Amino acid sequence: MSDLIINEIKIGPGENRVVNLNEYYLPTGALMEIPTYVYRSKKEGPVILFMAGMHGEEVNGIEIMRNLIRAHHFENLLRGSVIIIPIVNVTSFIHKQRELPDGRDLNRCFPGSPRGSMGSRIAYDLMTQIVRQIDFGFDFHTGGAEINNYPQIRCDFRDKKGFALAQIFAAPFIVNSQSREKSLRKEAHDRGKPILVYEAGESNRLNKLGIDEGLFGCLRILKHYRMIRQEETIIPRPKTILLKRDIWVRAKMSGLFRTSKKYGTFIEKDWVMGYTCDPYGKVQSELTAAENCFLIGLNNQPVVNEGDAILHLGME
Ligand SMILES: [Zn+2]
């Protein structure tokens, strides 16, 4: 069983350590660190990555990581290794915003370069220091732009390895989704390392259901690979729905948007899902379901422009 090496620090079998992914300097000269928690058993087994805060305002994933560390599940792993990066995009977390200081999206900087911008260098370090050494991983996100996502795992159903992992994680929904160019998921997949994206809740809000489901998913993975004791934590039996397709419903007009439907619920064809209307009570436009579907993401922003994505629907 070989050493894991992160930022030139060796972590041998049976060792638990916190290391920095790399050193990055801010314009003030302050050192920015990206703490990376490594837990290793003496016994051979999978090397799993759990990471969050790619978009720093997506706090649910960060809270899931905090819970995992705090619960001491990994300090005596029965086999394999776990790497946890609670906040990969530190500056974005401090500023409670999605982007890096230069306006870039870290998740479009992959595979990165050691001489690029901050995002490009973080992406490069993740690929070369972490992804290279893992077997698979989970990247925790939250709905962007005021969209509240019902807990869901996103993966490409054609990727057998990734799809199998999604079923073990067993979030309430597994959504078939292709990875985007320059994203961590795409670049890791191209190197034979499935990284699944978990989405839950909305930016800058803690969402209990999303945090709980994320934790249950991580523990199901660890139990499945016999890395923690089977009796360690009671996890509810999963009820997972596979969604082969998804679409966004957009606002037909600018104005106020409201819905009476709860996210995560089933919606029958022709049911009214919500209304957009002008603020003066003159015009009202109904949004109806074109087919049977589940409401997997819901806009919580009442003021919308024509064409804004407001409802995310998934079909079995
Ligand atoms: Zn995100």
Side-chain angles (χ1 to χ4, degrees):
M1 200 175 163
S2 57
D3 287 335
L4 289 177
I5 301 171
I6 299 171
N7 197 11
E8 295 176 5
I9 294 168
K10 278 186 192 170
I11 307 118
E15 260 191 89
N16 299 330
R17 276 190 86 153
V18 186
V19 295
N20 278 316
L21 181 62
N22 205 340
E23 284 84 43
Y24 311 86
Y25 285 90
L26 300 174
T28 55
L31 174 66
M32 183 186 91
E33 299 179 328
I34 302 180
T36 303
Y37 290 71
V38 186
Y39 303 92
R40 303 203 67 195
S41 160
K42 284 187 180 150
K43 265 194 172 171
E44 201 81 53
V47 181
I48 307 176
L49 168 68
F50 297 112
M51 58 170 274
M54 175 84 87
H55 301 124
E57 90 293 21
E58 299 181 356
V59 287
N60 290 312
I62 297 168
E63 176 62 6
I64 294 168
M65 300 300 106
R66 187 193 70 80
N67 272 282
L68 285 174
I69 295 168
R70 175 92 180 161
H72 308 287
H73 291 300
F74 311 127
E75 276 147 34
N76 295 298
L77 285 180
L78 301 178
R79 55 192 290 261
S81 305
V82 169
I83 301 175
I84 303 183
I85 309 180
I87 310 171
V88 76
N89 194 345
V90 172
T91 54
S92 141
F93 172 70
I94 294 167
H95 294 287
K96 301 186 216 165
Q97 66 185 23
R98 185 180 181 84
E99 296 82 16
L100 288 153
D102 64 1
R104 276 172 227 236
D105 179 341
L106 177 57
N107 208 15
R108 298 290 175 273
C109 293
F110 286 84
S113 145
R115 284 171 296 281
S117 64
M118 182 194 279
S120 186
R121 284 183 295 131
I122 296 172
Y124 178 82
D125 292 336
L126 270 176
M127 292 305 295
T128 54
Q129 309 273 344
I130 307 291
V131 173
R132 187 177 57 80
Q133 305 190 83
I134 63 167
D135 292 300
F136 55 86
F138 295 86
D139 182 19
F140 291 78
H141 287 253
T142 290
E146 276 123 354
I147 297 290
N148 192 1
N149 283 330
Y150 199 79
Q152 55 195 266
I153 276 273
R154 294 187 183 166
C155 75
D156 189 334
F157 284 11
R158 295 170 303 180
D159 165 19
K160 288 206 175 96
K161 223 164 134 189
F163 186 54
L165 286 168
Q167 286 179 301
I168 300 164
F169 190 100
F173 291 111
I174 304 176
V175 186
N176 187 19
S177 102
Q178 261 103 72
S179 52
R180 299 239 181 116
E181 287 300 319
K182 294 189 153 191
S183 67
L184 168 65
R185 177 150 79 102
K186 166 85 167 60
E187 293 299 326
H189 176 264
D190 290 352
R191 287 157 181 77
K193 310 288 174 100
I195 292 189
L196 277 68
V197 168
Y198 175 79
E199 285 272 357
E202 108 189 74
S203 301
N204 286 318
R205 297 268 183 285
L206 290 178
N207 176 300
K208 172 123 183 23
L209 175 70
I211 293 162
D212 288 349
E213 288 292 345
L215 277 170
F216 296 150
C218 295
L219 295 174
R220 286 185 193 114
I221 291 283
L222 294 165
K223 283 195 177 182
H224 177 86
Y225 288 99
R226 306 197 170 277
M227 294 167 77
I228 56 174
R229 282 178 294 126
Q230 297 301 304
E231 66 279 11
E232 189 147 333
T233 311
I234 294 158
I235 311 169
R237 278 158 74 89
K239 274 184 246 148
T240 300
I241 296 166
L242 301 182
L243 300 175
K244 293 198 183 93
R245 286 181 299 122
D246 66 312
I247 53 160
W248 279 97
V249 174
R250 292 176 181 277
K252 287 189 205 161
M253 58 178 280
S254 300
L256 296 169
F257 165 72
R258 66 183 198 282
T259 178
S260 55
K261 297 281 175 268
K262 282 212 175 74
Y263 78 155
T265 54
F266 176 73
I267 294 173
E268 221 172 287
K269 184 177 186 285
D270 298 327
W271 281 7
V272 176
M273 298 182 289
Y275 302 89
T276 37
C277 49
D278 76 293
Y280 310 107
K282 289 180 197 153
V283 193
Q284 177 158 288
S285 149
E286 273 182 1
L287 291 164
T288 51
E291 55 189 310
N292 289 351
C293 58
F294 288 90
L295 183 55
I296 57 173
L298 172 63
N299 164 59
N300 278 337
Q301 163 61 253
V303 184
V304 296
N305 281 294
E306 185 179 358
D308 281 354
I310 46 178
L311 298 167
H312 192 191
L313 309 177
M315 280 67 73
E316 278 182 289

